[in-house]
Amino acid sequence: MDGLRKDQSLVGATTTHNINEETNNITHKAISQEEEEEETEKEMVPPVGNSIHRSSSRPQLDLSGAAIQGNFEERDPTILLPNQSDDISHLALDIGGSLIKLVYFSRHEDRLVNDKRKKSAKERFGVSNGNMRRTFPILGGRLHFVKFETAKINECLEFIHSKQLHRGDNDNAVIKATGGGAYKFADLFKEKLGVSIEKEDEMDCLVAGANFLLKAIRHEAFTHKEGHKEFVQIDHNDLYPYLLVNIGSGVSMIKVDGDGKFQRVSGTNVGGGTYWGLGRLLTKCKSFDELLELSQRGDNSSVDMLVGDIYGGLDYSKIGLSASTIASSFGKAISENKEIEDYRPEDISLSLLRMISYNIGQISYLTALQLGIKRIFFGGFFIRGHAYTMDTISFAIQFWSKGGAQAMFLRHEGFLGALGAFMSYEKHGLDDLMVHQLVERFPMGAPYTGGKIHGPPLGDLNEKISWMEKFVRKGIKITAPVPMASPRTTGLGGFEAPSSKGDTLRCDESNLNVGVLHLVPSLEVFPLLADPKTYEPNTIDLADPNELEYWFTVLSEHLPDLVDKAVASEGGTDDARRRGNAFARAFSAHLARLMEEPAAYGKLGLANLLELREECLREFNFFDAYSTIKHRENEASLAVLPDLLMELDGMSEETRLLTLIEGVLAANIFDWGSRACVDLYHKGTIIEIYRMSRKKMQRPWRVDDFDAFKERMGFGDKKHQRHKRALLFVDNSGADVVLGMLPLARELLRRGTEVVLVANSLPALNDVTAMELPEIVAEAAKHCDILRGAAEAGGLLMDAMINIQDSPREKSSSTPLMVVENGCGSPCIDLRQVSSELAAVAKDADLVILEGMGRALHTNYNARFKCDALKLAMVKNQRLAEKLIKGNIYDCVCRYEPAN
Ligand SMILES: Nc1ncnc2c1ncn2[C@@H]1O[C@H](COP(=O)(O)OP(=O)(O)O)[C@@H](O)[C@H]1O
Ligand SMILES: CC(C)(COP(=O)(O)O)[C@@H](O)C(=O)NCCC(=O)O
Ligand SMILES: [Mn+2]
C-alpha cells in the first residue's frame, strides 16, 4: 500500500518503542480490577455531577440560550420576561366522579457547571449565553401525571402538601381545576391547603388537553385492533374535525374543529362508572383493576343471550350475525332460575365490559356518522390501556361503519382534562412547545407503591431502592398492565370469547404507560436533515418479536458486567452496590415490560432501549459508569498519538486520506457496549487490539464508498471546493476519538475546513462527552501545531494553553476546531432533538461525518442530509452485520452520500 510499511509502523503492526511502557502493559482486565483504587485518576475527569444531569438525559442544555429565545420571542414574547415566573403555579387538577387526575410541573434546578467550551462556542456562533435570569416561566422542567381515587381525596391532599405543589412560586397561589370536584371540593382545598380553586370548564379542558397531546407528543395516538397496537402519525394540518369520546364515569362526545373550537354533541350515562359500579355490586370486587382482571378469565356466553341461543346454534347469516354474536347482554339471566351466586364473577365482568364497550362504540359511530366525521379519539380512564376494551370499541366502530371510521386511543387517555386545566394557566408557554422540545421518560421512581391506584413518584433515591428491595423479597414480577391475547372475531359481527384465559392483567401498580414529560425548549430539529418529516432515527424496529427478543437477551446478559462497572465507578461502596442492584432490577423490569408490550412507551426502536439503559443508570445516581475506563484509554491513546501523527505526515496526501479513514474504522473497535469487543479486551492491551484491528482493514470494506469520498476530497478529475465546515459526530473515548477522529479532524483543518466535534452532552457507555473533549484536544495539541492553532482559534485552549510553554503564543489565524454538545445522553442520536448549540453550528456546515455503530448504524444509517454525509463504523455485532450489511462481525461501513 503506497509505501506504507504496515509492519513497521504504528498504523501497521509492531512499533512499540515509543509507547509508554506502562500504558502498553495495562490490559483491560487489569483496568477493571484496579478500578476501585483509582481515586486519583478519577479526579482528572472533568467535574460532572450536577443534579440535573442525574435525572434527564436530555439535559437542560441552556434554558436561556438566545437562539431559542429568538424563536420564542417571535411566537410569544411574554414567555421570556423573567419577572413573570412569579405567577406560575405548578399544579392542575381534574377531579372527576371516580378519579382525581393531577398534572404538575417541576422545574429543573439550575445547571452549575461552568462550561468554558460552551461559552466560547456560543460567542463564536452568536448563540450568546446572555445574562438572562435562568428561571423563566415554565420553560425547562417536567410534567408529571398522577392519579388518585376521588373517594380518597385526603391522600391526594397529602400528596399535594408533601410536595408543596399548592405553593407554586408564591404563597397565595390559586390552583386551576376542572371536573365536578372543582366545585364540590373547593372548600376542602381552602380548608386543608389554604388555596383557592380556580374552576375551568371541563369540556374546554378536555379539548385543550387532547389538542395539545395530538400535536405535541409523537406517539400519542394509536389504533388497537385484534390485539395489535399501531401508532398513528397525526398530520397537524389535517387533524380537524375529529370526535373526542371521553369515557370517564359518564361519557362525553365532543366534535372538535380547532383550538377552542368545539361542541359537545352527545354523551351517554352508560360509562366507566356504570361498569365499575354495576360490576362491584354484581361481583363484590374490591377494585376496578380486580374487576377488569376478572373479565380476562370470563366467558360471557353463560350470561349473555347469543344469536345461537335463539336460533338453535345457527348463524343468522342473512343479516350478518354469527351464532356467537351477543343478541342480548345479560339476556340469559332472564330465563333460568339462577341467582347471582350461580354466575361466575368472571363471566359477569366480561359480559358487562362488552356490553358497555359495544354500546359506547355504537353511539360514537352514530354520532360520527351524523356529523360526517371519520376519526374518533377515545379518552378517559375507563379504557385504562386495556387491550380487550380497545379491541371491542374498535370492532364496534369498524363493524358499524364498515371500515369507514376509525377508533384511535390516547396514551394519556385519562389526563386530558387535567392537562387542559394546566394549559389554562396563562403565559407558561406550554402550548408553544413543539414535538421536538418534549421528551418523555419512564422513570423507575414513579411506579410501585403497592396496589394503590396512584403512583406518586418516588423522588427519594433511598425510597426507590428500599422499595425495590422489598419488591424483590416479595418475589413479585414487576409488570404493568399487560394486554391479553387478542379476541378472535367471528367476522360476522361478534367476538368469540377471549381466547387466552390464563393470562391475567397485572395491576397498574407501576403507572408505566405514562412517563414524565420533560420540557426542553432548547432542543431543536437538526437543520441539515433532508426531510425531518419522514426522518426515522431507528434503523431497527423492534416491532419484530425476534428482533426484540434478541436485543432483550443481549442487554440482559450485559447487565451484570455493567453493574460491576457502575458500582466500581462509584468506589465500590455498599451504597453503590445497593444502587447497582436496584438499577439492575429496575432496568430488567423495564425490559420485561417491553417484552410483553413493546409499544407500551410509544414506538420502540433499539435506540430507545439503549437510551433507557443510560437513563435508568442515571436514575440510580450512576453518572458515569465507564469513567475510569475512558480515562485510561484516553491516556494510553494520547501517549501514542504523536507517533501516529508523525507517520501520517510522512505519507502522500492521497495515501493519508485512506489511512485516516482506516484509522477511524479500526479505532471504532473500542466499544464497551459490545459483548464481543469486551471479550476481546480481555485478550490484549489497548495498543495490541488497535494494531490487530488496523491489520484487518482490508478494502473493499463491506460498504465502501471511499473512492467517491476521495474524489470529493479533491483526488479526482473534477475540481471540488473544499468543505467549509465539517461536523464530526464522535463516538467512543480512547483510541476511537484520539487515534481515529482527531487525526481525521486535523486533516480537514489542514485543508482549511472548519471542524466541529459533536459529542454527547451526557455520558453513555464509553462515549466521549463534550465536557471531556477540550481536555483531550488540549493534550493532543501539545504535540501538534495544526491542532493547537485550530483549538486556539476555536477557543478551546483558553485554559489549557496556560500549560503549554514550549512554543511562543502568537495570535492564531488558523481554521478553527470547536466542540459542541449534541443534546443526548445515549449511544444513539435522534436528530429531531439536538442541542440548540449544535443546530446553530450546523447552519454553516456542508459535511456531516457520523461515526460509530450507535450514531451511524443503529440510528441514522438511512438518514438523508442536505449536505455531504459520511457514515463510518465498524460493525461489532454479528446479527447486525448480517441483517444490515449482509456481512460479518468486524466488517466495516464507509458510506458516503453526497448532497443532492
Ligand atoms: N383504579 C381505578 N379506580 C376507579 N375507576 C377506574 C380505575 N381505573 C380506571 N377506572 C375507570 O375509569 C373511570 C373514571 O374515568 P375518568 O376518566 O377518571 O373519569 P372521571 O373524571 O369521571 O373520574 C371509572 O369510572 C372506571 O370505569
Ligand atoms: C451500544 C453500541 C451501539 C455502541 O457502539 P458504538 O456507537 O460505540 O460503536 C454497540 O456496542 C452495540 O450495538 N452493542 C450491542 C450489544 C452487543 O453487541 O453486545
Ligand atoms: Mn459508543
Side-chain angles (χ1 to χ4, degrees):
M1 267 212 337
D2 303 25
L4 172 64
R5 291 162 306 144
K6 278 199 161 184
D7 55 337
Q8 287 186 12
S9 64
L10 177 67
V11 187
T14 54
T15 308
T16 50
H17 58 275
N18 267 332
I19 299 165
N20 175 320
E21 210 32 64
E22 197 192 353
T23 35
N24 193 29
N25 287 333
I26 296 167
T27 65
H28 286 270
K29 194 166 193 146
I31 291 173
S32 44
Q33 283 162 352
E34 284 169 28
E35 266 163 15
E36 300 186 14
E37 299 136 41
E38 284 300 329
E39 282 312 313
T40 45
E41 300 259 336
K42 246 193 231 150
E43 279 160 29
M44 294 168 75
V45 178
V48 279
N50 69 80
S51 55
I52 294 156
H53 274 176
R54 282 170 191 257
S55 55
S56 152
S57 84
R58 299 284 184 188
Q60 288 305 288
L61 298 160
D62 187 5
L63 291 187
S64 51
I68 283 297
Q69 286 170 16
N71 285 341
F72 275 94
E73 228 151 19
E74 283 154 33
R75 276 184 249 142
D76 184 355
T78 57
I79 300 170
L80 290 174
L81 298 176
N83 339 359
Q84 287 189 0
S85 62
D86 286 342
D87 44 51
I88 286 305
S89 190
H90 291 171
L91 165 69
L93 296 163
D94 173 4
I95 312 179
S98 306
L99 301 173
I100 305 175
K101 280 74 60 178
L102 264 75
V103 171
Y104 72 91
F105 172 77
S106 65
R107 184 174 287 141
H108 283 303
E109 287 162 60
D110 220 353
R111 185 174 174 177
L112 298 170
V113 178
N114 181 12
D115 190 347
K116 298 241 168 53
R117 168 200 59 76
K118 201 158 164 181
K119 198 159 159 261
S120 71
K122 283 180 177 278
E123 276 157 10
R124 254 200 98 69
F125 304 117
V127 195
S128 92
N129 234 356
N131 299 319
M132 293 282 297
R133 253 181 58 185
R134 285 175 165 271
T135 50
F136 45 88
I138 206 135
L139 302 183
R142 302 170 215 170
L143 276 185
H144 306 258
F145 301 85
V146 183
K147 63 183 193 287
F148 295 85
E149 281 172 40
T150 307
K152 296 181 185 160
I153 189 159
N154 282 328
E155 278 183 16
C156 172
L157 291 167
E158 270 165 38
F159 178 74
I160 295 171
H161 184 75
S162 71
K163 293 216 171 271
Q164 293 288 296
L165 297 174
H166 54 305
R167 295 235 180 268
D169 278 345
N170 55 18
D171 277 352
N172 48 7
V174 290
I175 297 178
K176 297 269 195 185
T178 189
Y183 297 83
K184 188 172 166 186
F185 298 114
D187 292 344
L188 189 66
F189 273 79
K190 190 81 205 170
E191 184 195 323
K192 291 273 168 79
L193 297 174
V195 292
S196 312
I197 295 278
E198 198 165 306
K199 297 155 194 86
E200 290 293 322
D201 178 75
E202 192 167 343
M203 300 301 125
D204 280 338
C205 289
L206 284 174
V207 170
N211 280 348
F212 171 76
L213 288 167
L214 289 169
K215 284 180 188 159
I217 313 288
R218 215 184 303 276
H219 298 135
E220 178 63 25
F222 56 92
T223 57
H224 206 289
K225 289 178 200 153
E226 301 184 24
H228 182 73
K229 183 175 186 175
E230 194 157 325
F231 288 96
V232 184
Q233 279 285 4
I234 303 287
D235 180 351
H236 300 175
N237 300 317
D238 185 27
L239 173 61
Y240 308 111
Y242 67 85
L243 187 69
L244 177 61
V245 179
N246 193 66
I247 318 178
S249 307
V251 185
S252 282
M253 298 184 186
I254 307 167
K255 176 178 186 252
V256 183
D257 289 300
D259 273 331
K261 280 170 62 186
F262 65 88
Q263 197 188 352
R264 185 180 192 273
V265 287
S266 188
T268 160
N269 51 334
V270 179
T274 317
Y275 174 57
W276 177 205
L278 260 182
R280 208 179 66 88
L281 286 178
L282 296 174
T283 67
K284 306 272 182 288
C285 271
K286 293 280 177 291
S287 76
F288 179 84
D289 282 348
E290 204 184 323
L291 180 66
L292 205 52
E293 196 172 324
L294 277 184
S295 77
Q296 304 218 150
R297 283 175 273 129
D299 173 1
N300 63 302
S301 67
S302 65
V303 181
D304 291 343
M305 191 185 284
L306 307 182
V307 168
D309 294 328
I310 304 172
Y311 280 77
L314 301 174
D315 293 341
Y316 182 0
S317 37
K318 193 174 153 200
I319 56 166
L321 298 178
S322 78
S324 63
T325 303
I326 302 170
S328 170
S329 288
F330 285 87
K332 259 196 191 144
I334 57 166
S335 58
E336 299 170 21
N337 11 339
K338 280 193 190 172
E339 295 307 315
I340 181 86
E341 300 77 35
D342 301 323
Y343 293 98
R344 291 173 70 229
E346 290 86 344
D347 302 345
I348 291 175
S349 178
L350 181 63
S351 172
L352 202 51
L353 182 64
R354 294 183 69 168
M355 174 177 101
I356 289 165
S357 302
Y358 275 137
N359 189 58
I360 293 170
Q362 185 167 13
I363 299 173
S364 305
Y365 154 71
L366 286 171
T367 308
L369 178 74
Q370 186 193 18
L371 299 165
I373 295 176
K374 298 244 174 300
R375 275 163 305 190
I376 311 175
F377 292 100
F378 289 87
F381 268 127
F382 167 70
I383 294 169
R384 210 190 149 294
H386 188 47
Y388 192 83
T389 307
M390 293 189 283
D391 277 354
T392 308
I393 292 173
S394 296
F395 181 84
I397 302 287
Q398 162 103 14
F399 177 75
W400 291 111
S401 73
K402 299 191 173 65
Q406 193 168 41
M408 284 174 276
F409 304 90
L410 302 170
R411 240 157 26 82
H412 290 82
E413 52 186 22
F415 288 104
L416 306 185
L419 202 46
F422 192 89
M423 307 281 297
S424 70
Y425 285 112
E426 273 170 31
K427 304 178 198 105
H428 56 30
L430 189 62
D431 33 5
D432 287 300
L433 287 174
M434 313 221 281
V435 172
H436 62 265
Q437 293 162 324
L438 296 164
V439 183
E440 194 177 9
R441 300 247 161 263
F442 296 87
M444 270 298 147
Y448 310 100
T449 46
K452 289 201 195 128
I453 187 164
H454 59 88
L458 299 173
D460 183 334
L461 182 64
N462 263 321
E463 214 182 315
K464 231 176 269 177
I465 297 170
S466 53
W467 184 86
M468 282 281 172
E469 283 161 352
K470 261 188 257 159
F471 200 84
V472 167
R473 268 204 301 278
K474 275 201 197 159
I476 304 168
K477 212 171 148 208
I478 309 176
T479 37
V482 171
M484 50 181 295
S486 57
R488 284 162 293 141
T489 64
T490 61
L492 280 172
F495 286 136
E496 301 292 353
S499 53
S500 153
K501 306 247 160 104
D503 218 353
T504 55
L505 171 117
R506 299 343 177 279
C507 282
D508 187 10
E509 286 170 29
S510 61
N511 262 354
L512 278 180
N513 284 336
V514 175
V516 173
L517 214 51
H518 293 235
L519 316 178
V520 193
S522 52
L523 289 177
E524 292 189 43
V525 178
F526 187 58
L528 293 172
L529 277 180
D531 184 6
K533 273 216 164 72
T534 57
Y535 169 80
E536 163 60 49
N538 276 292
T539 310
I540 296 181
D541 182 353
L542 295 178
D544 173 351
N546 291 329
E547 211 60 44
L548 179 62
E549 196 178 328
Y550 171 78
W551 288 104
F552 174 88
T553 310
V554 164
L555 295 189
S556 303
E557 285 176 359
H558 186 229
L559 207 48
D561 186 50
L562 176 59
V563 171
D564 283 349
K565 295 280 180 303
V567 172
S569 78
E570 296 277 316
T573 59
D574 286 350
D575 168 64
R577 180 54 63 189
R578 253 183 105 215
R579 282 189 282 130
N581 291 335
F583 153 73
R585 286 193 292 272
F587 184 58
S588 305
H590 275 298
L591 285 179
R593 169 80 175 107
L594 286 167
M595 271 302 278
E596 285 182 309
E597 202 199 340
Y601 306 165
K603 196 166 177 289
L604 185 67
L606 181 54
N608 310 91
L609 271 189
L610 293 172
E611 181 167 25
L612 190 69
R613 179 170 67 181
E614 300 299 332
E615 236 356 88
C616 206
L617 274 171
R618 280 187 273 275
E619 193 165 328
F620 288 91
N621 282 5
F622 292 108
F623 185 66
D624 193 355
Y626 288 85
S627 56
T628 312
I629 288 168
K630 292 198 294 184
H631 194 261
R632 280 299 182 90
E633 294 191 0
N634 286 341
E635 238 183 27
S637 308
L638 283 163
V640 296
L641 178 67
D643 284 355
L644 174 65
L645 296 182
M646 215 154 70
E647 277 178 37
L648 288 164
D649 288 346
M651 297 172 190
S652 72
E653 261 193 276
E654 200 171 343
T655 310
R656 192 163 62 224
L657 188 64
L658 175 61
T659 311
L660 283 163
I661 299 297
E662 279 179 350
V664 170
L665 295 171
N668 192 234
I669 200 166
F670 292 97
D671 165 15
W672 284 87
S674 149
R675 176 70 171 269
C677 291
V678 174
D679 288 347
L680 208 63
Y681 305 153
H682 293 282
K683 298 189 184 120
T685 66
I686 297 168
I687 304 305
E688 281 163 9
I689 292 163
Y690 174 69
R691 284 205 201 93
M692 185 275 298
S693 183
R694 293 272 348 198
K695 260 211 286 202
K696 278 183 58 104
M697 285 296 110
Q698 312 296 346
R699 284 188 70 197
W701 301 307
R702 198 72 191 91
V703 175
D704 192 338
D705 298 332
F706 176 75
D707 292 336
F709 179 64
K710 187 171 94 174
E711 140 102 50
R712 172 63 187 86
M713 294 295 278
F715 299 102
D717 307 333
K718 270 196 264 159
K719 263 270 154 280
H720 285 281
Q721 280 228 308
R722 63 168 169 75
H723 289 107
K724 190 169 169 302
R725 179 183 290 170
L727 305 183
L728 273 55
F729 288 75
V730 296
D731 181 4
N732 304 320
S733 304
D736 196 6
V737 65
V738 175
L739 304 180
M741 290 300 265
L742 266 188
L744 179 62
R746 175 176 177 262
E747 185 68 13
L748 290 162
L749 290 164
R750 196 205 305 256
R751 292 155 169 263
T753 298
E754 292 179 6
V755 173
V756 184
L757 300 175
V758 183
N760 264 26
S761 299
L762 295 176
L765 292 167
N766 61 325
D767 292 352
V768 67
T769 67
M771 292 271 280
E772 293 156 356
L773 264 179
E775 207 172 320
I776 294 170
V777 171
E779 205 45 47
K782 283 185 185 166
H783 309 282
C784 168
D785 290 340
I786 300 172
L787 286 176
R788 182 165 57 227
E792 229 178 290
L796 279 179
L797 289 189
M798 290 185 306
D799 287 349
M801 279 312 291
I802 300 164
N803 304 324
I804 300 175
Q805 268 119 23
D806 49 355
S807 70
R809 288 190 65 184
E810 69 246 33
K811 188 91 194 80
S812 169
S813 58
S814 308
T815 314
L817 171 67
M818 293 150 284
V819 172
V820 304
E821 63 178 331
N822 59 15
C824 308
S826 145
C828 299
I829 182 166
D830 179 343
L831 291 168
R832 291 171 302 201
Q833 300 188 293
V834 304
S835 73
S836 52
E837 206 184 342
L838 171 55
V841 295
K843 282 172 188 138
D844 291 320
D846 48 4
L847 174 62
V848 165
I849 301 182
L850 291 161
E851 190 232 345
M853 260 167 100
R855 291 164 190 80
L857 302 182
H858 291 329
T859 49
N860 303 311
Y861 190 60
N862 301 316
R864 290 279 171 272
F865 296 90
K866 287 178 185 158
C867 63
D868 294 346
L870 184 64
K871 296 164 186 173
L872 298 171
M874 178 188 277
V875 190
K876 290 148 292 189
N877 177 282
Q878 180 64 27
R879 184 181 175 102
L880 186 76
E882 287 166 21
K883 187 170 161 138
L884 201 60
I885 56 170
K886 296 191 172 55
N888 281 306
I889 188 163
Y890 306 125
D891 277 349
C892 288
V893 171
C894 170
R895 191 178 205 184
Y896 175 67
E897 293 149 335
N900 43 31

